[in-house]
Amino acid sequence: MNMRVAKSEVDGAKVIPVANKSVKQSALTEVFAIVGVTMNFDANVEIFGEAEPVEYFYEVVSGAVRTYKVLDDGRRQIDAFYLPGDTFGLEAGSHHALSAEAVSRSTIRLAKRSVVLAMVARDPELGQALWSAAASGLSAAQEHLLVLGRKTAEERVASFLLDIFRREANRDVIELPMSRHDIADYLGLTIETVSRTISLLESENAITLQSARRLIVKSASRLRQLNA
Amino acid sequence: MNMRVAKSEVDGAKVIPVANKSVKQSALTEVFAIVGVTMNFDANVEIFGEAEPVEYFYEVVSGAVRTYKVLDDGRRQIDAFYLPGDTFGLEAGSHHALSAEAVSRSTIRLAKRSVVLAMVARDPELGQALWSAAASGLSAAQEHLLVLGRKTAEERVASFLLDIFRREANRDVIELPMSRHDIADYLGLTIETVSRTISLLESENAITLQSARRLIVKSASRLRQLNA
DNA sequence: CGGGATATTGATTGATTTCAATGTGAGTGG
DNA sequence: CCACTCACATTGAAATCAATCAATATCCCG
């Protein structure tokens, strides 16, 4: 099923040391800590595929994950990126509506859906957490629709950077785990336009590029202004 | 709160006769039949607003509803259209992430969220129905992202028409309850491009226009082919 | 220290938007 | 009942933003 130099391994001891990022806490995270199984996925390895039955819920421990859909001719739309502390795959349906892959080598915790749902029956607070995680996914998708349907390239890149900025605890040094190609497929642009727009933002003194994957937010307010 | 020639009325007897459309049945629809209150909304009247607390769940009896977000400068992105039989406003969060308006004069049933949730506690099947309605909303949003991020104008219009076609039970005469402006804001295009593209589809013998709001699907397969 | 993948930058094209004019139709009031 | 009117829709011409085609540049990674 996996055409790549795929490698994913169940893992008791061989857990990759996680950079000390502040990770969101929630009833869900606790559940993962209790009943979750830790696995590592190499970059670009599939975690689940579209139309597969939903068997697990997932939490990113380290690394990053993208969910996406592809058209027959290869055009790809990335739905969301998940960073450490984020949970994904909580879709209510019985089958996945999209696919998930590791963006970079990632450590992921899996909890069996059936087990979590059984716990929900005994713990209403957990049900609440699950429901609200699903809600925030929907809300993010709705915001994303506004970006794709109605924003210019510069506005799209600005909202993307602001989103990452916020999710990395507003630290002005942003580490991008994903390629320009991923960003382009998330924003509905080409890699060239993403690259040019990042250069433009740099020339406007909104950001500084240290390397392609590391940048400094010099003016969050300028980015917010562009966020329309 | 409502700047328009707004008019919405609670309604016991004055229910607008509903055209005899086949309406989806589900545990949810039953709930609305039991605990729902019927209201009428004139065209363009707000049903709920972004950031308002979620008080009710809604079901379209007749007419049509749009949910949307707007940017400061007025750019609007329509998230979804709801047709008779559809339920909406089931967002899990405590506050609405978007606004809802009647597209045309519509009859809507409202059920108090708290009442429905109380019923869920006693009826797992209902919980299932609620969960799966929410899931289909998320899945629709994900498909919409692919359309907005990666499809051409012709593909967008084709997928829109196919979606309405399917939801109106594959009858080849399609009634569009919404304006070109609404369609444009749903598809991330301008009204001119929507209009031109519909003309293009007509010239390709995929559809025939009887009037702006009424068209005939001459070749669903041509539309599907464009659907990429 | 290469070397291939990834990213940037430039030149040109092209799809969609914008600006503009005309057409159409539903609802209203005379 | 018809004419009028205003909102909505179509069509055309020009402009524009992003895509495409193309040529370096840079950065990991072995």
Side-chain angles (χ1 to χ4, degrees):
Chain A
M1 167 183 288
N2 222 314
M3 299 294 106
R4 318 190 197 222
V5 283
K7 192 170 135 212
S8 70
E9 51 195 50
V10 180
D11 192 330
K14 215 196 291 184
V15 175
I16 292 174
V18 178
N20 227 354
K21 303 203 170 180
S22 73
V23 155
K24 292 147 228 158
Q25 273 316 109
S26 81
L28 266 184
T29 295
E30 283 175 46
V31 169
F32 279 105
I34 298 167
V35 304
V37 174
T38 300
M39 286 184 72
N40 289 320
F41 294 86
D42 276 356
N44 306 314
V45 169
E46 178 173 287
I47 298 168
F48 58 76
E50 192 170 340
E52 282 179 18
V54 176
E55 270 197 84
Y56 299 96
F57 295 141
Y58 305 82
E59 180 182 46
V60 180
V61 175
S62 72
V65 170
R66 59 180 171 251
T67 52
Y68 64 93
K69 279 176 175 265
V70 283
L71 295 172
D72 299 337
D73 62 5
R75 282 174 287 174
R76 179 180 68 158
Q77 178 61 44
I78 292 181
D79 234 65
F81 293 113
Y82 298 94
L83 304 180
D86 293 340
T87 49
F88 65 99
L90 305 134
E91 306 136 54
S94 58
H95 292 259
H96 290 291
L98 33 68
S99 308
E101 284 176 354
V103 167
S104 55
R105 181 162 176 84
S106 300
T107 302
I108 310 289
R109 271 204 285 258
L110 292 71
K112 260 211 146 54
R113 179 186 152 102
S114 57
V115 171
V116 174
L117 293 182
M119 290 173 78
V120 166
R122 308 193 155 226
D123 179 354
E125 196 200 335
L126 176 60
Q128 190 55 39
L130 208 62
W131 193 249
S132 98
S136 84
L138 180 57
S139 167
Q142 289 163 351
E143 192 62 35
H144 199 179
L145 283 175
L146 181 62
V147 171
L148 295 186
R150 287 293 175 229
K151 292 196 180 182
T152 65
E154 194 177 14
E155 291 167 343
R156 291 181 202 209
V157 173
S159 30
F160 170 74
L161 291 178
L162 273 176
D163 186 48
I164 300 289
F165 179 60
R166 181 184 52 74
R167 292 164 70 185
E168 291 188 352
N170 292 345
R171 270 190 280 274
D172 22 349
V173 179
I174 290 185
E175 294 281 353
L176 298 175
M178 70 292 285
S179 67
R180 296 291 186 267
H181 189 69
D182 282 341
I183 298 173
D185 283 356
Y186 178 76
L187 294 177
L189 301 169
T190 60
I191 53 176
E192 293 95 331
T193 298
V194 169
S195 187
R196 271 186 252 276
T197 305
I198 288 177
S199 300
L200 175 64
L201 289 173
E202 189 170 27
S203 77
E204 291 173 338
N205 291 312
I207 59 173
T208 304
L209 245 63
Q210 291 201 331
S211 71
R213 301 289 187 102
R214 175 192 294 263
L215 56 86
I216 297 174
V217 176
K218 273 167 67 182
S219 170
S221 67
R222 170 71 184 138
L223 292 179
R224 288 203 188 87
Q225 176 188 3
L226 283 169
N227 202 217
Chain B
M1 167 184 289
N2 222 313
M3 298 294 105
R4 317 190 199 222
V5 282
K7 192 168 136 214
S8 70
E9 51 195 50
V10 182
D11 194 329
K14 214 195 290 184
V15 176
I16 292 175
V18 179
N20 225 354
K21 303 202 170 179
S22 72
V23 155
K24 291 148 229 159
Q25 275 315 110
S26 83
L28 265 183
T29 295
E30 282 175 48
V31 169
F32 279 104
I34 298 166
V35 305
V37 174
T38 299
M39 287 184 73
N40 289 321
F41 293 85
D42 276 355
N44 305 316
V45 169
E46 178 173 286
I47 297 168
F48 58 77
E50 192 169 341
E52 283 179 17
V54 176
E55 271 196 82
Y56 299 95
F57 295 143
Y58 305 82
E59 180 182 47
V60 180
V61 175
S62 72
V65 170
R66 58 178 173 252
T67 53
Y68 64 93
K69 279 175 175 269
V70 283
L71 294 172
D72 298 337
D73 63 3
R75 281 176 286 175
R76 180 180 67 159
Q77 177 61 44
I78 292 181
D79 239 67
F81 293 111
Y82 297 94
L83 304 180
D86 293 340
T87 50
F88 66 99
L90 307 133
E91 305 136 54
S94 59
H95 292 260
H96 290 291
L98 32 69
S99 309
E101 284 176 354
V103 168
S104 55
R105 181 165 177 81
S106 300
T107 303
I108 310 289
R109 271 205 283 257
L110 290 72
K112 260 212 146 51
R113 180 185 151 101
S114 57
V115 172
V116 175
L117 293 182
M119 290 173 78
V120 166
R122 308 192 154 226
D123 180 354
E125 195 200 335
L126 175 60
Q128 189 55 40
L130 209 62
W131 192 248
S132 99
S136 84
L138 180 58
S139 167
Q142 289 163 352
E143 191 62 35
H144 200 178
L145 283 175
L146 179 63
V147 170
L148 295 186
R150 287 295 175 227
K151 291 196 180 182
T152 65
E154 194 177 14
E155 290 167 345
R156 292 181 201 209
V157 173
S159 29
F160 170 74
L161 291 179
L162 273 176
D163 186 46
I164 299 289
F165 178 61
R166 182 184 51 72
R167 292 165 70 186
E168 292 190 351
N170 291 344
R171 270 189 281 273
D172 22 353
V173 178
I174 290 185
E175 293 281 355
L176 298 176
M178 71 292 285
S179 67
R180 296 291 185 269
H181 189 67
D182 282 340
I183 298 173
D185 283 357
Y186 177 76
L187 294 177
L189 301 170
T190 60
I191 53 175
E192 293 94 332
T193 298
V194 170
S195 186
R196 272 186 251 276
T197 306
I198 288 177
S199 299
L200 176 63
L201 288 173
E202 188 169 28
S203 77
E204 292 173 339
N205 291 311
I207 59 174
T208 303
L209 245 63
Q210 291 200 331
S211 71
R213 302 289 188 99
R214 175 192 293 262
L215 56 84
I216 297 174
V217 176
K218 272 167 69 182
S219 171
S221 66
R222 170 68 184 142
L223 292 179
R224 288 204 187 84
Q225 176 188 4
L226 284 169
N227 202 216

